[in-house]
Amino acid sequence: MTGRRGFVKDNALGLAFGGLFVLTLVGQAISGTADYNAQQVANGLEPVSFLDYVTSSSFGVDVMENWQSEYLQFFLYIFATVWLVQRGSAESKEPGDEGMESDEEQRVGAHARADSPAWVRAGGWRTTVFSRSLGLVMGGIFLLTWAASSIAGWAAYNSEQLADKQDPVSWVGYLGEADFWNRSFQNWQSEMLAVGSMAVLSVYLRQRGSPESKPVGAAHADTGETG
């Protein structure tokens, strides 16, 4: 029991957000089914079951277009913070520290420690890949969810086309449709606003005890400090 409690405590942040993710996804599925069936009834069509809705392109595109925008946000932020700074922000490096940093600062090569990850101590291509693994994985997930979003959106779009007695379009044709880009940009712009706001607001505002905030008594100009 002690080991289990220790695991939960050590992983509480990931477990909490994992649980919230499942709850909100279920909530989206339930409310989405109700909304979809209300539209079906209004159009004189038969309502669908919960299982039919969660396996439909309508549900798939709503989920995927949100996921891909979130991973785009993190992918861009990870790379942008290597080279761009925001003076006074807890989310930024100090002005003048832009760039990849030295091997000593990054603890790679001859500066790797005994407890460094195995691929760091291995050197060569493995260290090179591991040094960029977070951005690569985030970028890869974005591309996968973007592709899934485009396919689900294509299926949903063609369902509407057929319902309106219009010709369906190819997947490549859908990528040129305003529907696809409207869905994409309406999610992307909100992510860019949220990231930019966080970077700037952390200069002047505090949240005591949060690593996303500077210490409460830190000066506004202090950069890169966390509470």
Side-chain angles (χ1 to χ4, degrees), residues 51-72:
L51 182 60
D52 284 339
Y53 175 71
V54 297
T55 56
S56 70
S57 58
S58 294
F59 180 69
V61 68
D62 287 343
V63 172
M64 285 297 112
E65 68 186 16
N66 281 284
W67 289 8
Q68 53 100 353
S69 66
E70 296 295 338
Y71 282 103
L72 175 64

Side-chain angles (χ1 to χ4, degrees), residues 157 161 169-182:
Y157 182 81
Q161 289 288 97
V169 300
S170 67
W171 177 68
V172 173
Y174 177 67
L175 297 183
E177 292 287 341
D179 178 81
F180 173 70
W181 291 106
N182 179 51

Side-chain angles (χ1 to χ4, degrees), residues 139-190:
I141 296 175
F142 161 68
L143 291 175
L144 288 173
T145 51
W146 178 86
S149 172
S150 68
I151 292 169
W154 171 47
Y157 182 81
N158 278 341
S159 293
E160 295 178 1
Q161 289 288 97
L162 293 172
D164 294 335
K165 295 182 173 56
Q166 298 183 44
D167 292 333
V169 300
S170 67
W171 177 68
V172 173
Y174 177 67
L175 297 183
E177 292 287 341
D179 178 81
F180 173 70
W181 291 106
N182 179 51
R183 287 178 179 273
S184 297
F185 283 122
Q186 69 180 339
N187 285 282
W188 294 355
Q189 54 87 12
S190 63

Side-chain angles (χ1 to χ4, degrees), residues 92-103:
S92 169
K93 294 190 291 189
E94 286 278 1
D97 290 343
E98 299 91 339
M100 305 292 283
E101 300 178 348
S102 67
D103 286 354

Side-chain angles (χ1 to χ4, degrees), residues 14-97:
L15 291 171
F17 275 91
L20 288 171
F21 161 70
V22 172
L23 288 174
T24 51
L25 184 63
V26 170
Q28 179 185 355
I30 294 171
S31 59
T33 303
D35 180 60
Y36 185 84
N37 281 336
Q39 295 179 39
Q40 288 287 97
V41 172
N43 293 328
L45 302 172
E46 289 293 320
V48 301
S49 68
F50 177 78
L51 182 60
D52 284 339
Y53 175 71
V54 297
T55 56
S56 70
S57 58
S58 294
F59 180 69
V61 68
D62 287 343
V63 172
M64 285 297 112
E65 68 186 16
N66 281 284
W67 289 8
Q68 53 100 353
S69 66
E70 296 295 338
Y71 282 103
L72 175 64
Q73 171 198 150
F74 283 117
F75 170 70
L76 292 177
Y77 192 66
I78 287 165
F79 280 98
T81 51
V82 174
W83 302 102
L84 305 178
V85 297
Q86 179 67 50
R87 182 181 293 276
S89 176
E91 300 292 313
S92 169
K93 294 190 291 189
E94 286 278 1
D97 290 343

